[in-house]
Short mmCIF file of all heavy atoms in Angstrom, two decimals:
data_model
loop_
_atom_site.label_atom_id
_atom_site.label_comp_id
_atom_site.label_asym_id
_atom_site.label_seq_id
_atom_site.Cartn_x
_atom_site.Cartn_y
_atom_site.Cartn_z
N SER A 18 115.89 123.75 92.13
CA SER A 18 116.97 123.30 91.26
C SER A 18 116.41 122.48 90.11
O SER A 18 115.29 121.94 90.20
CB SER A 18 118.01 122.49 92.03
OG SER A 18 117.43 121.30 92.54
N ILE A 19 117.19 122.40 89.04
CA ILE A 19 116.82 121.59 87.89
C ILE A 19 118.08 120.93 87.36
O ILE A 19 119.11 121.59 87.18
CB ILE A 19 116.11 122.45 86.82
CG1 ILE A 19 115.63 121.58 85.66
CG2 ILE A 19 117.00 123.59 86.33
CD1 ILE A 19 114.64 122.30 84.73
N THR A 20 118.02 119.62 87.12
CA THR A 20 119.18 118.92 86.61
C THR A 20 119.34 119.19 85.11
O THR A 20 118.46 119.76 84.46
CB THR A 20 119.06 117.41 86.83
OG1 THR A 20 118.02 116.90 85.98
CG2 THR A 20 118.75 117.09 88.28
N ASN A 21 120.45 118.71 84.57
CA ASN A 21 120.67 118.90 83.14
C ASN A 21 119.69 118.06 82.31
O ASN A 21 119.56 118.28 81.11
CB ASN A 21 122.12 118.58 82.76
CG ASN A 21 122.54 117.17 83.16
OD1 ASN A 21 121.74 116.39 83.66
ND2 ASN A 21 123.80 116.85 82.94
N ARG A 22 118.98 117.14 82.98
CA ARG A 22 117.97 116.34 82.28
C ARG A 22 116.55 116.80 82.59
O ARG A 22 115.59 116.17 82.16
CB ARG A 22 118.13 114.86 82.64
CG ARG A 22 119.44 114.27 82.14
CD ARG A 22 119.48 112.78 82.30
NE ARG A 22 120.70 112.21 81.75
CZ ARG A 22 120.92 110.91 81.64
NH1 ARG A 22 120.01 110.05 82.05
NH2 ARG A 22 122.06 110.47 81.15
N GLY A 23 116.44 117.87 83.40
CA GLY A 23 115.12 118.45 83.64
C GLY A 23 114.41 118.01 84.90
O GLY A 23 113.26 118.39 85.12
N MET A 24 115.06 117.24 85.75
CA MET A 24 114.43 116.86 87.02
C MET A 24 114.52 118.04 87.98
O MET A 24 115.55 118.71 88.07
CB MET A 24 115.13 115.63 87.60
CG MET A 24 114.93 114.38 86.78
SD MET A 24 115.71 112.95 87.54
CE MET A 24 114.77 112.83 89.05
N THR A 25 113.44 118.26 88.71
CA THR A 25 113.36 119.46 89.54
C THR A 25 113.23 119.11 91.02
O THR A 25 112.79 118.01 91.39
CB THR A 25 112.16 120.33 89.13
OG1 THR A 25 110.95 119.55 89.24
CG2 THR A 25 112.31 120.81 87.70
N ASN A 26 113.59 120.08 91.85
CA ASN A 26 113.49 119.95 93.29
C ASN A 26 113.20 121.34 93.85
O ASN A 26 113.69 122.34 93.32
CB ASN A 26 114.80 119.41 93.88
CG ASN A 26 114.68 119.10 95.35
OD1 ASN A 26 113.65 118.64 95.82
ND2 ASN A 26 115.74 119.37 96.10
N TYR A 27 112.39 121.39 94.92
CA TYR A 27 111.97 122.68 95.46
C TYR A 27 112.10 122.72 96.97
O TYR A 27 111.94 121.70 97.65
CB TYR A 27 110.50 122.95 95.09
CG TYR A 27 110.26 123.05 93.61
CD1 TYR A 27 109.90 121.94 92.87
CD2 TYR A 27 110.41 124.27 92.95
CE1 TYR A 27 109.69 122.03 91.50
CE2 TYR A 27 110.21 124.38 91.59
CZ TYR A 27 109.85 123.26 90.87
OH TYR A 27 109.66 123.36 89.51
N ALA A 28 112.34 123.91 97.48
CA ALA A 28 112.25 124.13 98.92
C ALA A 28 110.79 123.96 99.32
O ALA A 28 109.87 124.28 98.56
CB ALA A 28 112.75 125.53 99.27
N HIS A 29 110.59 123.49 100.54
CA HIS A 29 109.23 123.23 101.01
C HIS A 29 108.37 124.49 100.94
O HIS A 29 107.17 124.42 100.61
CB HIS A 29 109.29 122.70 102.44
CG HIS A 29 107.94 122.47 103.04
ND1 HIS A 29 107.14 121.39 102.68
CD2 HIS A 29 107.23 123.17 103.95
CE1 HIS A 29 106.01 121.45 103.37
NE2 HIS A 29 106.04 122.52 104.14
N SER A 30 108.98 125.63 101.21
CA SER A 30 108.21 126.88 101.31
C SER A 30 107.65 127.35 99.97
O SER A 30 106.74 128.19 99.94
CB SER A 30 109.09 127.98 101.91
OG SER A 30 110.23 128.21 101.11
N VAL A 31 108.20 126.85 98.86
CA VAL A 31 107.74 127.32 97.54
C VAL A 31 107.09 126.21 96.72
O VAL A 31 106.56 126.48 95.63
CB VAL A 31 108.90 127.95 96.74
CG1 VAL A 31 109.59 129.02 97.56
CG2 VAL A 31 109.90 126.90 96.27
N LYS A 32 107.10 125.01 97.21
CA LYS A 32 106.58 123.88 96.46
C LYS A 32 105.11 124.11 96.13
O LYS A 32 104.32 124.50 97.00
CB LYS A 32 106.74 122.60 97.27
CG LYS A 32 106.92 121.35 96.44
CD LYS A 32 107.45 120.21 97.30
CE LYS A 32 107.92 119.05 96.45
NZ LYS A 32 108.51 117.97 97.27
N GLY A 33 104.74 123.89 94.88
CA GLY A 33 103.37 124.09 94.45
C GLY A 33 103.08 125.50 93.98
O GLY A 33 102.04 125.75 93.37
N ARG A 34 103.99 126.43 94.25
CA ARG A 34 103.80 127.82 93.83
C ARG A 34 104.82 128.25 92.79
O ARG A 34 104.52 129.06 91.91
CB ARG A 34 103.90 128.77 95.03
CG ARG A 34 102.87 128.50 96.11
CD ARG A 34 102.90 129.59 97.19
NE ARG A 34 104.19 129.65 97.89
CZ ARG A 34 104.96 130.73 97.95
NH1 ARG A 34 104.58 131.85 97.35
NH2 ARG A 34 106.11 130.70 98.63
N PHE A 35 106.04 127.74 92.89
CA PHE A 35 107.13 128.13 91.99
C PHE A 35 107.43 126.97 91.03
O PHE A 35 107.31 125.80 91.40
CB PHE A 35 108.40 128.44 92.77
CG PHE A 35 108.35 129.72 93.58
CD1 PHE A 35 107.17 130.41 93.79
CD2 PHE A 35 109.52 130.22 94.13
CE1 PHE A 35 107.13 131.58 94.54
CE2 PHE A 35 109.51 131.38 94.89
CZ PHE A 35 108.32 132.05 95.10
N THR A 36 107.88 127.33 89.82
CA THR A 36 108.28 126.34 88.84
C THR A 36 109.60 126.76 88.20
O THR A 36 109.70 127.87 87.66
CB THR A 36 107.22 126.18 87.74
OG1 THR A 36 105.97 125.80 88.33
CG2 THR A 36 107.65 125.09 86.74
N ILE A 37 110.59 125.89 88.28
CA ILE A 37 111.88 126.15 87.64
C ILE A 37 111.90 125.44 86.29
O ILE A 37 111.36 124.34 86.14
CB ILE A 37 113.05 125.68 88.53
CG1 ILE A 37 114.39 126.12 87.94
CG2 ILE A 37 113.01 124.17 88.77
CD1 ILE A 37 115.58 125.86 88.88
N SER A 38 112.50 126.10 85.31
CA SER A 38 112.64 125.50 83.98
C SER A 38 113.92 126.02 83.34
O SER A 38 114.55 126.95 83.86
CB SER A 38 111.42 125.82 83.11
OG SER A 38 111.30 127.22 82.92
N ARG A 39 114.28 125.42 82.23
CA ARG A 39 115.50 125.85 81.54
C ARG A 39 115.32 125.73 80.05
O ARG A 39 114.55 124.88 79.57
CB ARG A 39 116.70 125.04 82.01
CG ARG A 39 116.67 123.57 81.64
CD ARG A 39 117.76 122.79 82.37
NE ARG A 39 119.10 123.21 81.97
CZ ARG A 39 120.20 122.95 82.69
NH1 ARG A 39 120.10 122.28 83.83
NH2 ARG A 39 121.37 123.35 82.25
N ASP A 40 116.05 126.56 79.32
CA ASP A 40 116.10 126.50 77.87
C ASP A 40 117.57 126.46 77.48
O ASP A 40 118.25 127.49 77.49
CB ASP A 40 115.39 127.71 77.26
CG ASP A 40 115.30 127.64 75.75
OD1 ASP A 40 116.07 126.89 75.13
OD2 ASP A 40 114.45 128.35 75.18
N ASN A 41 118.06 125.26 77.18
CA ASN A 41 119.49 125.11 76.90
C ASN A 41 119.89 125.83 75.62
O ASN A 41 121.05 126.23 75.46
CB ASN A 41 119.85 123.64 76.81
CG ASN A 41 119.81 122.95 78.16
OD1 ASN A 41 119.86 123.60 79.21
ND2 ASN A 41 119.69 121.63 78.15
N SER A 42 118.96 126.02 74.69
CA SER A 42 119.28 126.73 73.45
C SER A 42 119.54 128.21 73.69
O SER A 42 120.17 128.88 72.87
CB SER A 42 118.16 126.56 72.43
OG SER A 42 117.00 127.26 72.83
N LYS A 43 119.03 128.72 74.83
CA LYS A 43 119.21 130.13 75.17
C LYS A 43 120.12 130.33 76.39
O LYS A 43 120.25 131.45 76.88
CB LYS A 43 117.84 130.77 75.45
CG LYS A 43 116.92 130.80 74.26
CD LYS A 43 115.59 131.47 74.59
CE LYS A 43 114.68 131.50 73.36
NZ LYS A 43 113.37 132.13 73.67
N ASN A 44 120.70 129.23 76.87
CA ASN A 44 121.55 129.30 78.07
C ASN A 44 120.85 130.03 79.21
O ASN A 44 121.45 130.85 79.91
CB ASN A 44 122.87 130.02 77.74
CG ASN A 44 123.86 129.12 77.05
OD1 ASN A 44 123.51 128.03 76.58
ND2 ASN A 44 125.10 129.56 76.95
N THR A 45 119.59 129.71 79.41
CA THR A 45 118.77 130.45 80.36
C THR A 45 118.01 129.50 81.28
O THR A 45 117.50 128.46 80.83
CB THR A 45 117.76 131.34 79.62
OG1 THR A 45 118.48 132.26 78.78
CG2 THR A 45 116.92 132.16 80.60
N VAL A 46 117.94 129.88 82.55
CA VAL A 46 117.12 129.18 83.53
C VAL A 46 116.08 130.18 84.05
O VAL A 46 116.39 131.36 84.25
CB VAL A 46 117.98 128.57 84.66
CG1 VAL A 46 118.78 129.62 85.40
CG2 VAL A 46 117.12 127.75 85.61
N TYR A 47 114.87 129.68 84.25
CA TYR A 47 113.74 130.52 84.65
C TYR A 47 113.19 130.08 86.00
O TYR A 47 113.33 128.93 86.40
CB TYR A 47 112.61 130.44 83.62
CG TYR A 47 113.01 130.79 82.21
CD1 TYR A 47 113.32 129.80 81.29
CD2 TYR A 47 113.06 132.12 81.79
CE1 TYR A 47 113.67 130.11 79.98
CE2 TYR A 47 113.40 132.44 80.49
CZ TYR A 47 113.72 131.43 79.60
OH TYR A 47 114.07 131.75 78.31
N LEU A 48 112.52 131.02 86.66
CA LEU A 48 111.76 130.68 87.86
C LEU A 48 110.42 131.40 87.75
O LEU A 48 110.37 132.63 87.84
CB LEU A 48 112.49 131.10 89.13
CG LEU A 48 111.83 130.67 90.44
CD1 LEU A 48 111.90 129.13 90.59
CD2 LEU A 48 112.50 131.33 91.64
N GLN A 49 109.37 130.63 87.52
CA GLN A 49 108.02 131.18 87.50
C GLN A 49 107.48 131.15 88.92
O GLN A 49 107.43 130.07 89.53
CB GLN A 49 107.13 130.36 86.57
CG GLN A 49 105.67 130.80 86.56
CD GLN A 49 105.47 132.16 85.94
OE1 GLN A 49 106.05 132.47 84.90
NE2 GLN A 49 104.65 132.99 86.57
N MET A 50 107.07 132.30 89.41
CA MET A 50 106.62 132.41 90.80
C MET A 50 105.16 132.86 90.81
O MET A 50 104.84 133.95 90.33
CB MET A 50 107.49 133.42 91.55
CG MET A 50 108.96 133.07 91.53
SD MET A 50 110.00 134.24 92.44
CE MET A 50 109.91 135.66 91.34
N ASN A 51 104.30 132.00 91.33
CA ASN A 51 102.88 132.29 91.43
C ASN A 51 102.46 132.36 92.90
O ASN A 51 103.18 131.90 93.78
CB ASN A 51 102.07 131.22 90.71
CG ASN A 51 102.38 131.13 89.24
OD1 ASN A 51 102.71 132.13 88.59
ND2 ASN A 51 102.27 129.93 88.67
N SER A 52 101.29 132.94 93.13
CA SER A 52 100.75 133.04 94.50
C SER A 52 101.80 133.59 95.45
O SER A 52 102.03 133.05 96.54
CB SER A 52 100.27 131.66 94.98
OG SER A 52 99.28 131.14 94.12
N LEU A 53 102.42 134.66 95.04
CA LEU A 53 103.52 135.24 95.82
C LEU A 53 103.03 135.76 97.17
O LEU A 53 101.89 136.26 97.29
CB LEU A 53 104.20 136.35 95.03
CG LEU A 53 105.16 135.85 93.95
CD1 LEU A 53 105.44 136.94 92.92
CD2 LEU A 53 106.46 135.37 94.58
N LYS A 54 103.91 135.64 98.16
CA LYS A 54 103.63 136.06 99.53
C LYS A 54 104.67 137.11 99.94
O LYS A 54 105.79 137.11 99.41
CB LYS A 54 103.71 134.87 100.47
CG LYS A 54 102.81 133.71 100.11
CD LYS A 54 103.05 132.53 101.04
CE LYS A 54 102.17 131.35 100.67
NZ LYS A 54 102.41 130.19 101.59
N PRO A 55 104.35 137.95 100.90
CA PRO A 55 105.33 138.94 101.37
C PRO A 55 106.65 138.28 101.81
O PRO A 55 107.72 138.87 101.62
CB PRO A 55 104.62 139.61 102.54
CG PRO A 55 103.17 139.53 102.18
CD PRO A 55 103.02 138.18 101.51
N GLU A 56 106.57 137.08 102.36
CA GLU A 56 107.80 136.41 102.81
C GLU A 56 108.66 135.91 101.65
O GLU A 56 109.78 135.43 101.88
CB GLU A 56 107.47 135.25 103.75
CG GLU A 56 106.44 134.28 103.22
CD GLU A 56 105.03 134.57 103.74
OE1 GLU A 56 104.65 135.78 103.78
OE2 GLU A 56 104.33 133.61 104.10
N ASP A 57 108.19 136.03 100.42
CA ASP A 57 109.02 135.72 99.25
C ASP A 57 109.91 136.89 98.86
O ASP A 57 110.76 136.75 97.96
CB ASP A 57 108.14 135.35 98.06
CG ASP A 57 107.35 134.07 98.27
OD1 ASP A 57 107.93 133.10 98.81
OD2 ASP A 57 106.16 134.03 97.88
#
């Protein structure tokens, strides 16, 4: 999750691998996923 001020929170299983971000000018939220595992 990401707050309207940009503070983030992650599930334990993805912490350190996934990054959430947002671009309010584009009304878009992103999820960058690295080091992906089959369980993802």
Side-chain angles (χ1 to χ4, degrees):
S18 64
I19 184 166
T20 70
N21 57 4
R22 295 190 177 187
M24 293 183 63
T25 58
N26 187 37
Y27 297 92
H29 177 74
S30 60
V31 307
K32 210 165 192 176
R34 300 187 298 122
F35 290 11
T36 302
I37 187 171
S38 61
R39 66 191 295 162
D40 185 340
N41 289 341
S42 69
K43 296 181 179 179
N44 280 14
T45 301
V46 59
Y47 304 98
L48 186 68
Q49 176 68 44
M50 303 181 289
N51 299 329
S52 302
L53 282 161
K54 304 176 181 180
E56 51 263 43
D57 295 318

